Amino acid sequence: MLIEQPPSLLRRLYPRAEWREDPSVHAVYLTFDDGPIPGMTPWVLDVLDSFGVKATFFLVGDNIRKHPAEFEMVRERGHRLGNHTYNHLKGFACSVDYYMANVAKADGLIHSDLFRPPHGHLTFGQYRALRDKYRIIMWDLVTRDYSRHLTGEEVFAKVRRYARNGSIITFHDSLKSEANTRYALPRSIAWLLEQGYELRLL
């Protein structure tokens, strides 16, 4: 649970970051990290279209450079865009200046006020530099669809166990997560809708 639903102590490290939206509203917020990727991103978009729902995509700048057609698909289908750095950086391994330059490089392609740090890693210096320019979006439920130690069934079970009012739910449109996401995503959306959740954009 420490990974799937971060504890309040961790959330307090970045007090202006958004971990969960309004808990009084019966709504959740689907997000996808690490795209755009050929094959996976178009498939995710088709699944979302089949349910008539929108999501927020936290995009890696270098993947946009390599896969511009998939990036345009995300934009053209009316989904929300977010910045996930240009090179999927680990914040703890970078200086503030280097990290912010990488974020700015991605912003030149994405043009969004939303930012999510790869791996959830931010130094306090990076957090301070980011917080006045971006809405820093973390998560209330990370599905761990990327894990080689989980099956698609187990990923789907995590959604059913941890989703709650205001949850920001994280999936990945990446090759590493492909098998688990292809199993869990359509089942998760169907289940959330059956529970009466509204799926909103951030």
Side-chain angles (χ1 to χ4, degrees):
M1 181 174 177
L2 291 180
I3 297 175
E4 287 85 354
Q5 203 162 64
S8 58
L9 178 61
L10 178 59
R11 297 173 194 237
R12 286 198 293 269
L13 290 177
Y14 309 113
R16 285 170 55 184
E18 297 177 34
W19 297 86
R20 183 185 181 190
E21 300 302 307
D22 189 345
S24 70
V25 177
H26 197 51
V28 296
Y29 303 77
L30 283 183
T31 67
F32 295 86
D33 288 2
D34 298 353
I37 298 293
M40 271 307 290
T41 301
W43 178 84
V44 167
L45 294 172
D46 287 345
V47 170
L48 295 173
D49 281 353
S50 74
F51 287 98
V53 300
K54 301 297 182 185
T56 303
F57 287 76
F58 289 93
L59 302 152
V60 174
D62 195 44
N63 285 342
I64 295 173
R65 178 190 65 80
K66 292 185 287 190
H67 312 299
E70 286 74 15
F71 172 61
E72 287 304 318
M73 290 175 67
V74 178
R75 191 205 305 270
E76 289 170 1
R77 296 204 198 180
H79 300 282
R80 189 88 156 86
L81 307 180
N83 189 327
H84 205 44
T85 75
Y86 194 87
N87 295 107
H88 203 261
L89 296 182
K90 292 182 177 179
F92 294 158
C94 303
S95 69
V96 173
D97 288 346
Y98 184 87
Y99 194 85
M100 293 304 296
N102 200 267
V103 172
K105 187 176 181 181
D107 187 55
L109 298 171
I110 299 166
H111 307 296
S112 172
D113 66 335
L114 302 183
F115 177 79
R116 172 176 283 163
H119 314 285
H121 294 177
L122 279 179
T123 67
F124 288 112
Q126 292 159 1
Y127 166 70
R128 286 192 296 269
L130 288 162
R131 66 186 179 186
D132 292 327
K133 183 174 182 181
Y134 295 96
R135 287 173 60 195
I136 301 172
I137 308 296
M138 294 299 205
W139 57 85
D140 184 58
L141 164 56
V142 61
T143 64
R144 296 182 66 205
D145 52 348
Y146 55 80
S147 176
R148 298 174 184 171
H149 304 293
L150 296 176
T151 65
E153 292 91 340
E154 289 170 320
V155 171
F156 179 34
K158 291 184 184 300
V159 174
R160 298 197 308 273
R161 179 177 180 183
Y162 293 111
R164 57 185 178 172
N165 286 2
S167 282
I168 299 170
I169 302 174
T170 301
F171 282 92
H172 296 76
D173 52 328
S174 66
L175 296 179
K176 185 167 64 173
S177 70
E178 182 170 9
N180 285 342
T181 303
R182 284 182 181 270
Y183 181 91
L185 179 61
R187 291 167 174 82
S188 296
I189 295 174
W191 181 84
L192 289 165
L193 293 173
E194 288 167 4
Q195 304 308 305
Y197 284 106
E198 181 183 354
L199 275 63
R200 293 185 174 183
L201 287 174
L202 288 165

